[in-house]
Amino acid sequence: MNTPAHHPPGPDGDAAREGLHPLFRPRSVAIIGMSGKPGSAGQVVLGNLVRGGFPGDVYLVGRSGGHIDGREVFTDVAQLPESLDLAILMLPAEAVLEALRGCVARRVRAAVCFASGFAEMGEAGRAQQREMAEVARAGGMTLMGPNTVGYFNYVDAFYVMMVELVLPPRLDPAAGPAVAVAAQSGGIGAHIAASLQARGVPISYMMTTGNEAQVGLAEMISFFADDPHTGAVVVYAEQIRSAPGFLAAARSARAKGKAVVLLHPGRSEQSQASAASHTGALAGNHAAMRLAVSHAGVLVADSLEEVIDLGQLLLRFPQAPTGGLGLVTASGALCGITQDYVEPLGLALPPLAPEQVEVLRSHLPAYTPPRNPLDLGTLAGWRPELIGLGTAAVLADPAVGSVVVSLPMPEPQASVRWLQSFLDGTADSSKPAIFVMQNEDVALDPAFIALARRSGTVVMRSPERALRALASLTRFGRDRAMAVVSSGQTAPASQALPVLGTGTQAEWVGKQVLRAMGIRTPEGALATTPGEAVRIADRIGYPVVMKAQAATLAHKSEVGGVLLGIRDEAAVHAAWQQLHDNVAAADAGLVLDGVLVEAMGDRGLELVVGATRDAQWGPILMVGLGGIWVEALGDVQLLAPDLSAAAIVERLHRLKAAKLLTGFRGTPPVDLDAVADVVAALGQFMLAHPHISEVDINPLVVYAAGKGVIALDALVVTHENGAA
């Protein structure tokens, strides 16, 4: 797994938000590194400030001195007045540290550094970046960057950019809350902001955080959570450097009714088998990040298109739905396409309730079936009011959580009438609704655009993008609804753990850990002599299984270290010798702890349950089809460690092999409640015992409902000595 980058703790809480005010809306600015050459970067920054109408004082510092646009250019930072709000550093990397020290001496409250050549260049650059952060922190200064391309504050028309801008529109406060964009890539941040603006979505801020020597995404989100102009936050992250800070900021934003949408590349890490256990191999750093941030209330997008679509949706509809999809269209073909498209996404089109059927029947001709999806056919052209009536009826159905109205583009005046009918139909509903005007390569009529923007309508041009966005939003809503931990939920009473060494533990030790969690294992014990093995077998009853035991023998079956169906004393002696011969053939120097002798378990459905501890994001759980199938199919669900039992059962039903859990071809349903109890106990155990790195139970055999489970094998890995 990846290790987190060194990230010194930045300002937090109220201090962080207060520290960002000089960056976002300063009263005075110094541009350091000015050149008299027309078109130089410093002059471009100055021009953007002036053309944006910045009302505060602007000071210039440059080696050549002189005057620029009537302003004196100081030759030394020491000539600046004290207690300026913001210093904009237009300097090469080698000059930044000295300038920061000079700014601290003048009690400058904040600085933004554009220069590259720091942590992205290797260890020397990282050391210089750390020193910059330490200088700023010691001086009580907030530092943004280095390696940022700047930012836009649309609220105050304050623009800090190194490129000459066609100044973006200033936010109209009367338009209501806006989307804030925070990105570690200037190009992606600008693309997201521009794409949203092109749809008429208001933007409050577009911030690029660069290398985040001090201020990063967590501080941005915390600021936006309290900002009255911001209603939703879109984040592009290539590396989240402060996991606890990011999670706390996301929870704060959600608590204040502001959605956070994240795009984070790197999903291919899930295919890297970088850990010893199945859980570690299937739960890479990106998977752990996704699980942790989702559990904190962040909606994680899978593409650039999706993060834009979801940002627009969540600004307008901050409460994610849990119900199915409603579709109103004028195309029977689109009804079929939609059914095919949403099924893999887990979003159904539920049949309408009888009440809604009757409402529709009263408005529709006999040849138009009142159902979901609702195909109006040619009726939309000569009875446009049916668009609104149909939309209202579908939205009123309790099983419907969101609706798409997708229509081919008509002539311009009709498009406005259709949109107005849609608005009439959605007026009494708070459920997410998207109006799709198809023919996406054809420009929209200006009157249509004006009405859409005045009304705040979510308009898209692609039915597929609309469906994908609503499917993601609905999955998120369902996860949020199920993720509530039962109030007062506590870990089950547990026995004392055995003393554990560092690293991988032998199976017989791992099973002691499971029993301490209250998880049932086969009856048996460790034998160190053949005679002891016979006594254990006589006590627990034949047939038995015998397993060679050593901490370094993780895959016993592959070396002949597991023998099944041993039925008498003579077979025990023979198995003892065979096990030792098999292990010696594979590794002549391996010394066994002994042989684990256990009762043979009854057959049942084999699952895998595991946990691993990500260095940055903490514990992550896994449950799925077990035995050899976990490696062959990878049919697993990843879970947060503090989910309720009900949420765990719901996630079990998302497995591709879920039919096997509920009864398949004459087999009875299995004991899902017992599986959920094991997963919940393991989650609480990982939270309570930070020295445990991994636990892998494979297989966990589950029996028919009410018959419980039993753990047939266990792998436990620690990263420090000592008992819990």
Side-chain angles (χ1 to χ4, degrees), residues 345-361:
L345 299 174
L347 186 59
L349 284 84
L352 293 180
E355 295 83 357
Q356 271 62 58
V357 170
E358 289 305 313
V359 169
L360 283 174
R361 185 173 283 123

Side-chain angles (χ1 to χ4, degrees), residues 572-666:
V572 170
H573 282 281
W576 183 276
Q577 187 61 49
Q578 184 179 348
L579 282 176
H580 283 76
D581 289 346
N582 290 347
V583 171
D587 184 351
L590 180 63
V591 177
L592 297 180
D593 297 352
V595 173
L596 182 60
V597 182
E598 290 183 329
M600 290 281 290
D602 295 331
R603 288 184 176 273
L605 180 64
E606 293 187 353
L607 300 181
V608 59
V609 174
T612 187
R613 189 177 304 279
D614 184 83
Q616 188 177 17
W617 298 101
I620 177 173
L621 306 188
M622 179 191 76
V623 62
L625 203 61
I628 63 171
W629 300 113
V630 64
E631 296 175 359
L633 301 179
D635 183 16
V636 300
Q637 287 286 310
L638 302 179
L639 313 170
D642 58 351
L643 286 185
S644 64
I648 295 168
V649 170
E650 192 274 337
R651 295 297 292 271
L652 286 167
H653 284 292
R654 297 191 195 180
L655 291 168
K656 295 173 185 175
K659 288 181 179 179
L660 300 178
L661 306 178
T662 55
F664 185 68
R665 294 200 171 185

Side-chain angles (χ1 to χ4, degrees), residues 251-416:
R251 292 189 185 101
S252 174
R254 289 297 309 184
K256 293 167 183 174
K258 300 183 181 183
V260 180
V261 187
L262 169 68
L263 177 61
H264 191 311
R267 281 176 290 165
S268 61
E269 290 179 4
Q270 294 183 56
S271 65
Q272 297 175 2
S274 58
S277 72
H278 301 105
T279 310
L282 291 165
N285 182 262
H286 188 276
M289 175 282 302
R290 186 181 186 115
L291 184 69
V293 301
S294 298
H295 198 53
V298 176
L299 203 171
V300 182
D302 289 327
S303 69
L304 192 53
E305 285 184 345
E306 193 176 48
V307 81
I308 293 166
D309 295 341
L310 291 171
Q312 179 183 14
L313 260 178
L314 280 167
L315 177 65
R316 177 67 177 81
F317 302 105
Q319 185 62 43
T322 59
L325 174 72
L327 175 65
V328 179
T329 183
S331 168
L334 187 60
C335 294
I337 290 171
T338 298
Q339 292 278 20
D340 288 343
Y341 195 85
V342 300
E343 184 176 347
L345 299 174
L347 186 59
L349 284 84
L352 293 180
E355 295 83 357
Q356 271 62 58
V357 170
E358 289 305 313
V359 169
L360 283 174
R361 185 173 283 123
S362 68
H363 296 292
L364 297 173
Y367 58 80
T368 301
R371 62 192 180 192
N372 180 33
L374 177 60
D375 176 15
L376 296 176
T378 59
L379 290 170
W382 58 280
R383 293 187 60 190
E385 72 277 5
L386 289 178
I387 296 170
L389 292 170
T391 301
V394 173
L395 281 171
D397 194 292
V400 171
S402 60
V403 69
V404 170
V405 176
S406 186
L407 302 168
M409 179 179 286
E411 54 87 18
Q413 289 184 345
S415 71
V416 176

